[in-house]
Amino acid sequence: MSSVVGFASQESNSSEDGNERLDLLKIPDPTVTNLLSFPIQAFLKAAVSLKDQVVQVTWEGWCEEQGSSTDPTAFTGLLGTAFTCLRSYEATGSQRDLLLCAEIVDICASIARNSTRHVTFLCGKGGVYALGAVVANLKGDHQKRDLFLDLFLDVAQERALPVGPEEGGFGMSYDLLYGRAGFLWAALFINKYLGQETIPNDLLMPVVEAVLAGGRAGASDNTASPLMYRWHGTRYWGAAHGLAGILHVLLHFPLSQEDANDVKQTLRYMMSNRFPHSGNYPSSEGNPRDKLVQWSHGATAMAITLCKASQVFLSDREFRDAAIEAGEVVWKSGLVKKVGLADGVAGNAYAFLSLYRLTGEAIYEERAKAFASFLYHNTKKLVSEGHSQGVADRDYSLFQGLAGTACLWLDLLAPENSKFPGYEL
């Protein structure tokens, strides 16, 4: 296994979506600066400062320009700021962060009610109500908690959620960003904080069964995988719209032996169809381009999903081995030019944190700190050079901007408890 010392420079590697590799990797040489002894207080101070900047640009900016159109979602919108404040509260105990989170969620709820048709955590009202219930409970405001839970349960009544393909259930997608997996993740988030069965399994399992049925129907057209899904006609493999994200959610539910076997065989199908030279994963079924290594597409999300599979299927050592191999792909691919969780350095760092929790091996904490320390030294420069999204709000958003970096730095305070925002529980 390679070490931090072997972290080499990469030549510029452009891809069609602009996800370029950096020419120079300005990671401190561990022979001079031991990354494991990188001062945690520096990450804490930087995270709090960056969180304050995120709040200033997104929330205070909105307050000054009320009436302007606002994205209330977690992925690129105002709810991502609220989520970052929650993470800051959990790391620091700051009541100000908790109160600010609640205030932002209230505004997101008033906007989302009429502005978004999606039911997911990351891109829909499901996330607004889920986060609202959790934050209200942390504040001890049980009346508001119950209000948000009722709103979430109203979302759960969406007729398309439990409809299988045999009943024409192809109208709602199955993916994490916009579809049924994203709704299920929101319910899991509520149950994690408020207790199992807060959103009861008898409400969720029909949706799980519909997702499995949809995957089987999608796999019937010329694929050896037991499960397959289409998003806008493309059979994606990544976390945002494809197999990695959907399977990761399914792994959190009690599955029958048949269902568990289909999940395992789908993972094995993906593992057997990696690119032979790099070990990376295709972005979609049959796609020959081996360039994307990020959460949205490629080895990053697969490393995290395989870590979960390894924990669920303890006797199947192959998933643990494949998770480690996917982590090696992320490491050897170096640093991408973007900063966010979806397709940037912060998101890739979480693959190492997931592996650290799985294996307990210090090298993965080292690697996560290496990526995080690069962001610590270079974030402002990367943003100024346009390596985020180039739009002020998105530059500071959770998945495409700097809010995700703040979450990463906060997670490094206790890496054994780290969780990829909106993906791990």
Side-chain angles (χ1 to χ4, degrees), residues 31-49:
T31 60
V32 179
T33 305
N34 187 331
L35 289 170
L36 279 176
S37 64
F38 189 90
I40 288 298
Q41 289 303 313
F43 280 137
L44 174 59
K45 183 177 179 180
V48 171
S49 175

Side-chain angles (χ1 to χ4, degrees), residues 304-318:
I304 297 171
T305 295
L306 287 164
C307 282
K308 180 64 179 177
S310 178
Q311 294 162 344
V312 173
F313 306 124
L314 292 173
S315 61
D316 294 285
R317 176 79 186 198
E318 62 193 302

Side-chain angles (χ1 to χ4, degrees), residues 125-201:
K125 61 183 71 176
V128 177
Y129 303 149
L131 188 56
V134 167
V135 173
N137 190 63
L138 289 169
K139 287 179 60 190
D141 187 342
H142 294 168
Q143 183 177 1
K144 182 163 281 190
R145 175 201 64 192
D146 293 342
L147 170 64
F148 277 120
L149 285 176
D150 287 342
L151 289 169
F152 186 86
L153 290 170
D154 286 343
V155 170
Q157 299 307 312
E158 170 64 51
R159 290 183 181 181
L161 280 166
V163 176
E166 67 281 357
E167 302 167 277
F170 288 109
M172 177 181 284
S173 68
Y174 296 93
D175 65 315
L176 187 68
L177 255 60
Y178 299 123
R180 302 177 214 212
F183 163 79
L184 290 170
W185 199 93
L188 289 167
F189 180 80
I190 290 174
N191 286 350
K192 173 191 173 181
Y193 281 91
L194 302 187
Q196 296 303 314
E197 292 289 313
T198 301
I199 308 299
N201 259 4

Side-chain angles (χ1 to χ4, degrees), residues 7 300 303-304 326-332 345 347-359 361 363-371 418:
F7 198 68
T300 302
I304 297 171
E328 290 299 303
V329 173
V330 178
W331 180 250
K332 291 174 182 177
V345 178
N348 284 1
Y350 273 101
F352 306 131
L353 289 175
S354 196
L355 284 163
Y356 173 69
R357 296 196 318 274
L358 177 69
T359 68
E361 294 183 12
I363 189 170
Y364 297 117
E365 183 184 6
E366 268 186 59
R367 290 178 173 184
K369 283 186 175 182
F371 276 31
S418 61

